Amino acid sequence: DVADLPGVPDWLPDHLHDDGIEELYPPQAEAVEAGVTEGENLVASIPTASGKTLIAELAMLSSVARGGKALYIVPLRALASEKQADFEEFEQYGLDIGVSTGNYESEGGWLADKDIVVATSEKVDSLVRNDAPWIEDLTCVVTDEVHLVDDGERGPTLEVTLAKLRRLNPDLQTVALSATIGNAEALATWLDAGLVDSDWRPIDLQKGVHYGQALHLEDGSQQRLSVQNNEKQTAAIVRDTLEDDGSTLVFVNSRRNAEAAAGRLANTVRPHLTDEERGQLADIAEEIRDVSDTETSDDLADAVADGAAFHHAGLSRGHRELVEDAFRDRLVKVVCATPTLAAGVNTPSRRVVVRDWRRYDGSAGGMAPLSVLEVHQMMGRAGRPGLDPYGEAVLIASSHDEVDELFERYVWADPEPVRSKLAAEPALRTHILATVASGFARSREGLLEFLAQTLYASQTDDSGQLERVVDDVLTYLQRNDFLEIEGGELDATSLGHTVSRLYLDPMSAAEIVDGLRDWERGVSDSTSASGSPADTPAEPPADSGFTTASELAEDADGSDDTNADPDDISALGLYHLVSRTPDMYQLYLRSGDREEYEMELFEREDELLGPTPSEFEEGRFEDWLSALKTARLLEDWATEVDEATITERYGVGPGDIRGKVETAQWLLGAAESLASEVDLDAARAISEARIRVEHGVREELVDLAGVRGVGRKRARRLFQAGITDRAELRDADKSVVLAALRGRRKTAENVLENAGHRDPSMDGVEPAADVSVDLD
Ligand code: ADP
């Protein structure tokens, strides 16, 4: 009974009652018995949707009740806002909740007053590197989805960060929440923690495989589920679920497949909608179109109007939220999602279909099966407690033999054990520098001793392997002037400290510093020789979207601002420089791209920083071209090419543009710091390139686009109407502003207020007749 919980704040039992929680679920009760409300460490490995969040809350709230401070580590930024919303429920009892995800290189001082902080593991790592003083006040840390220590890219950060937090405060309560995994006890041993290892679920889950006209269930029974003429198996299952008034979550292996499947399944859903549902869906479809003006947006809106949707990392946040809400509200009846999102979205549904159990894996050179852990997490989304008698999770078999294979591989199989990926060189490169720079180790021995507290050390028999990689990495860091080793003492150089605080991979920092130095040498060698970047204005092929923007810019101030100053590094050169670092996730070269970007390289090689690798260095050359493609996307964005053209030209979603832009902003900011650290005179050019990419505008709009609520399109419209900067906007004629913003009063008032206009009210103002702006 929740009234009998030891150690929790007085208000909690009533609060839980109000939420319909009277009794703990069995794994939650086990956690309390293991002392989770009394400061004990705990690893909880329990199925999806079995109440892990409450275990976290019990730990954090009781720790705060004892006068402490708690940290909740999420694996994905998207989850941070979901958890923040969960925990903000406690603000009515006087608790302060803070969330910190973006902006790596700050110490987040304002978080010092918060009782509960939500952050990604990267952010926590960065806070530790920047000596955030409140980190030492933490009394409780909870990590969500801790099985992701197995992830080659992000796992090592989580592992090292936990080790650091625990070293800073040996009494820190550590609670780690995991999906069901094969070796939960290994995690418990590593963290010195009690263990709750359970496969209890609040609602039964029936797993099965569909083949032919039947659904084969794990209890040996069969349900008739017939596929009609020309219908795919997934459509048959969705239809069958709809006839029973339920909804379906379909997992597929790529974004493209998610979009295609949603488009097809819309046909299946449409006939089942009521008129009222159709009306509500039409409204949501309109909201989706309003979020952005792209093909993805259109496709999504079309599908949603018919009660179907897709959901993947290429969607913008606004789109994702609209889809999730509509699915929770039972308006959207089927969502087709990629597996990356299986962990995140809390959207239970009657049935889950795992349509694709293989996905493309570059390192395997082809299609590789998903892990049992992943498939079980997807399947765990089936069944809504209190609404469905049980959930059903269905795999799709394409042959009779495959039915048996899928039963063996996934239905009856146990999830794989989780294994540390820390011993990989890229991971250690970053973490060894940071560990030394922030004083956790001052010698090779101290470093090895620190690393002995990681999951890796607790899992390996071969400590020699770790030592070998550590020595290689130390040599690399010393050679690049990030570390000094003297008489057995390890010390970070000033450059090394900067790199660690900036949260850069040391290899990225080396690439940036080398590139900038090459440029400086090149510039002084060839004093304004003809054919220098300044003589080759950046003009990509003249097709629709781009031409409009560039003509506009020329009309606007009569000049072409690209590379106006011969001493400047071109923005493209800088975008390319940061795009070729390991911290940028580069765009893929599709078939046909290679020729295109080789041509591009040939034309614009002068603008790039540092020597182009030879075509015979296959890997490096390929990388250089992918970086060029990525840089061209950034350049397009910073020259006001519209979003729809960019998504089309590079085969990406609007969310990807955001992602690339944010990474570029961060890396260019870091490049500015590095430039001044090593006395290179490039900070102004870098800062300009950074601001342009941040707002997605040409030079002359930078000031206007910086006004909150303005953005790239509105900035261009205002500029066209003769308002060229923030000061002019502040004193502008209101009827001109209103006309430039196409008569939208609310928007105009907002914008004027943000610009500091003394009287932003649009009452009685009419749009000026002689202002005509028409960008779209
Ligand atoms: P997980 O994080 O394990 O995937 P959640 O913590 O999101 O699962 O819990 C799933 C749902 O179960 C939530 O809606 C939550 O409110 C509900 N829930 C959790 N614990 C209880 C309980 N003891 N009694 C009733 N409902 C509960």
Side-chain angles (χ1 to χ4, degrees):
D1 190 318
V2 295
D4 304 331
L5 294 171
V8 301
D10 299 339
W11 49 261
L12 187 64
D14 284 340
H15 177 82
L16 291 176
H17 276 287
D18 291 347
D19 267 359
I21 299 182
E22 310 278 334
E23 282 182 9
L24 295 185
Y25 286 158
Q28 295 166 341
E30 277 186 60
V32 171
E33 271 157 38
V36 80
T37 58
E38 292 160 312
E40 298 294 333
N41 294 344
L42 183 79
V43 168
S45 164
I46 50 185
T48 316
S50 304
K52 284 194 283 289
T53 309
L54 183 56
I55 296 182
E57 291 172 349
L58 290 174
M60 296 192 296
L61 292 172
S62 54
S63 194
V64 171
R66 288 190 296 273
K69 182 183 180 82
L71 172 67
Y72 189 97
I73 303 180
V74 286
L76 297 170
R77 270 208 226 181
L79 286 183
S81 37
E82 195 181 312
K83 291 298 165 191
Q84 178 187 20
D86 282 352
F87 302 153
E88 273 170 1
E89 294 269 306
F90 306 132
E91 292 196 325
Q92 53 180 311
Y93 306 105
L95 269 72
D96 261 338
I97 315 298
V99 62
S100 172
T101 50
N103 210 4
Y104 286 135
E105 68 279 20
S106 78
E107 48 147 288
W110 61 279
L111 293 168
D113 299 330
K114 305 291 173 190
D115 299 300
I116 296 178
V117 175
V118 181
T120 57
S121 42
E122 286 73 19
K123 182 66 202 186
V124 179
D125 184 12
S126 154
L127 289 165
V128 173
R129 293 182 190 196
N130 286 284
D131 294 326
W134 56 269
I135 289 280
E136 293 184 33
D137 302 336
L138 289 174
T139 53
C140 174
V141 57
V142 179
T143 85
D144 196 3
E145 311 268 340
V146 73
H147 52 268
L148 292 173
V149 288
D150 195 278
D151 181 290
E153 256 175 62
R154 320 195 47 201
T157 303
L158 178 58
E159 208 179 309
V160 169
T161 302
L162 278 180
K164 283 182 182 168
L165 293 176
R166 286 158 59 76
R167 175 165 270 215
L168 283 171
N169 176 4
D171 297 326
L172 182 71
Q173 178 184 17
T174 311
V175 175
L177 307 172
S178 166
T180 342
I181 54 171
N183 59 339
E185 73 294 334
L187 296 181
T189 308
W190 166 45
L191 295 172
D192 262 328
L195 175 64
V196 174
D197 189 1
S198 163
D199 46 25
W200 183 90
R201 289 179 41 99
I203 177 165
D204 276 345
L205 178 63
Q206 271 274 17
K207 300 184 186 128
V209 177
H210 185 267
Y211 175 66
Q213 306 291 336
L215 182 54
H216 304 256
L217 292 166
E218 60 185 318
D219 63 5
S221 68
Q222 278 190 25
Q223 255 179 42
R224 190 172 165 76
L225 203 164
S226 39
V227 179
Q228 296 171 354
N229 290 343
N230 297 327
E231 188 184 44
K232 301 230 177 192
Q233 282 163 281
T234 308
I237 297 171
V238 168
R239 183 175 44 72
D240 184 76
T241 321
L242 277 167
E243 281 162 8
D244 210 18
D245 212 20
S247 53
T248 312
L249 190 53
V250 180
F251 286 105
V252 299
N253 60 7
S254 72
R255 297 176 185 188
R256 206 170 281 272
N257 283 336
E259 295 180 12
R264 278 197 307 271
L265 289 171
N267 298 324
T268 306
V269 177
R270 196 183 304 117
H272 291 264
L273 298 173
T274 64
D275 286 343
E276 191 190 341
E277 287 173 329
R278 251 182 229 121
Q280 286 170 300
L281 286 165
D283 291 344
I284 300 173
E286 265 325 291
E287 284 186 64
I288 288 174
R289 281 184 225 279
D290 277 350
V291 171
S292 73
D293 187 11
T294 56
E295 205 179 307
T296 312
S297 190
D298 272 345
D299 291 349
L300 184 62
D302 288 346
V304 165
D306 286 336
F310 51 87
H311 191 294
H312 57 58
L315 290 186
S316 65
R317 175 142 167 227
H319 281 151
R320 278 210 294 262
E321 282 171 1
L322 285 166
V323 168
E324 288 168 24
D325 289 344
F327 192 57
R328 256 179 238 127
D329 294 342
R330 305 287 126 196
L331 281 168
V332 162
K333 314 286 184 187
V334 56
V335 170
C336 303
T338 52
T340 12
L341 287 164
V345 240
N346 186 18
T347 45
S349 68
R350 169 81 58 85
R351 269 189 177 136
V352 165
V353 174
V354 181
R355 195 197 72 179
D356 302 332
W357 53 277
R358 279 178 280 227
R359 89 172 133 226
Y360 183 79
D361 177 352
S363 63
M367 304 299 277
L370 302 183
S371 72
V372 179
L373 179 70
E374 267 183 292
V375 170
H376 282 192
Q377 272 200 299
M378 295 175 207
M379 291 180 142
R381 295 278 158 209
R384 298 161 300 161
L387 290 174
D388 299 329
Y390 56 86
E392 264 177 6
V394 185
L395 287 143
I396 305 273
S398 57
S399 69
H400 202 276
D401 289 344
E402 214 174 88
V403 177
D404 293 338
E405 181 182 355
L406 290 177
F407 265 97
E408 304 239 332
R409 199 184 261 285
Y410 295 114
V411 179
W412 291 321
D414 289 323
E416 301 76 4
V418 157
R419 297 207 62 87
S420 166
K421 299 292 189 299
L422 183 63
E425 201 171 312
L428 279 178
R429 205 161 56 210
T430 299
H431 291 297
I432 286 181
L433 176 59
T435 301
V436 173
S438 34
F440 285 91
R442 298 185 192 285
S443 64
R444 180 179 174 276
E445 278 56 49
L447 190 58
L448 291 171
E449 191 203 315
F450 173 79
L451 292 171
Q453 296 166 354
T454 58
L455 174 64
Y456 179 82
S458 76
Q459 284 192 318
T460 182
D461 297 328
D462 178 12
S463 58
Q465 161 71 8
L466 186 62
E467 277 188 54
R468 279 189 297 278
V469 189
V470 165
D471 286 332
D472 287 349
V473 170
L474 286 176
T475 309
Y476 172 86
L477 293 173
Q478 195 184 10
R479 214 176 41 224
N480 283 283
D481 197 26
F482 299 128
L483 280 188
E484 286 164 349
I485 310 178
E486 248 185 64
E489 284 245 329
L490 287 180
D491 223 343
T493 59
S494 162
L495 178 62
H497 276 285
T498 303
V499 171
S500 166
R501 274 197 302 269
L502 291 169
Y503 209 73
L504 288 176
D505 182 331
M507 201 176 255
S508 298
E511 184 79 39
I512 291 173
V513 169
D514 289 350
L516 291 173
R517 282 198 174 123
D518 279 338
W519 168 78
E520 194 178 57
R521 272 194 293 272
V523 163
S524 47
D525 288 348
S526 63
T527 348
S528 76
S530 67
S532 80
D535 299 340
T536 5
E539 288 291 4
D543 58 47
S544 56
F546 186 85
T547 324
T548 327
S550 84
E551 280 166 357
L552 266 173
E554 283 181 11
D555 285 353
D557 67 356
S559 73
D560 186 340
D561 63 331
T562 321
N563 302 318
D565 180 350
D567 285 336
D568 267 359
I569 315 179
S570 90
L572 181 83
L574 290 166
Y575 298 150
H576 185 263
L577 180 65
V578 298
S579 295
R580 64 192 202 228
T581 68
D583 280 310
M584 175 69 85
Y585 204 71
Q586 294 166 354
L587 292 177
Y588 218 69
L589 287 186
R590 292 177 298 183
S591 60
D593 276 355
R594 198 184 155 103
E595 293 68 33
E596 182 181 341
Y597 288 98
E598 272 179 7
M599 280 299 289
E600 187 85 28
L601 178 63
F602 178 69
E603 283 166 22
R604 304 191 63 184
E605 195 173 354
D606 287 350
E607 292 178 60
L608 306 188
L609 284 65
T612 297
S614 137
E615 274 177 68
F616 299 108
E617 295 174 82
E618 215 9 82
R620 284 198 59 216
F621 186 69
E622 194 87 9
D623 224 42
W624 199 262
L625 291 181
S626 309
L628 183 57
K629 181 175 176 187
T630 315
R632 284 284 289 106
L633 179 149
L634 294 168
E635 186 188 50
D636 276 1
W637 176 251
T639 34
E640 295 168 54
V641 178
D642 62 276
E643 213 181 17
T645 309
I646 298 183
T647 54
E648 165 102 26
R649 190 177 284 166
Y650 300 95
V652 296
D656 299 307
I657 304 180
R658 268 281 112 216
K660 298 279 171 280
V661 164
E662 279 176 17
T663 308
Q665 245 176 280
W666 159 53
L667 290 172
L668 288 164
E672 260 172 272
S673 304
L674 290 174
S676 62
E677 177 72 41
V678 298
D679 278 333
L680 286 167
D681 175 31
R684 204 181 57 82
I686 301 173
S687 148
E688 204 173 284
R690 176 178 55 75
I691 296 173
R692 282 185 49 199
V693 87
E694 175 183 349
H695 296 299
V697 295
R698 287 170 172 261
E699 180 62 40
E700 74 268 15
L701 291 190
V702 162
D703 194 38
L704 266 183
V707 176
R708 204 150 47 84
V710 173
R712 62 201 304 246
K713 282 191 182 171
R714 290 180 184 152
R716 180 53 72 197
R717 292 195 189 110
L718 289 165
F719 195 93
Q720 273 203 301
I723 301 170
T724 65
D725 61 19
R726 183 189 290 257
E728 285 180 20
L729 180 58
R730 193 168 45 225
D731 301 326
D733 181 340
K734 288 201 271 191
S735 61
V736 173
V737 175
L738 188 59
L741 298 178
R742 298 161 148 196
R744 301 201 177 165
R745 287 171 191 278
K746 199 94 210 90
T747 310
E749 286 180 355
N750 239 330
V751 160
L752 282 187
E753 186 172 339
N754 294 336
H757 199 283
R758 42 191 160 61
D759 170 27
S761 161
M762 284 287 157
D763 288 345
V765 177
E766 286 306 316
D770 56 342
V771 175
S772 105
V773 277
D774 188 16
L775 278 183
D776 311 317

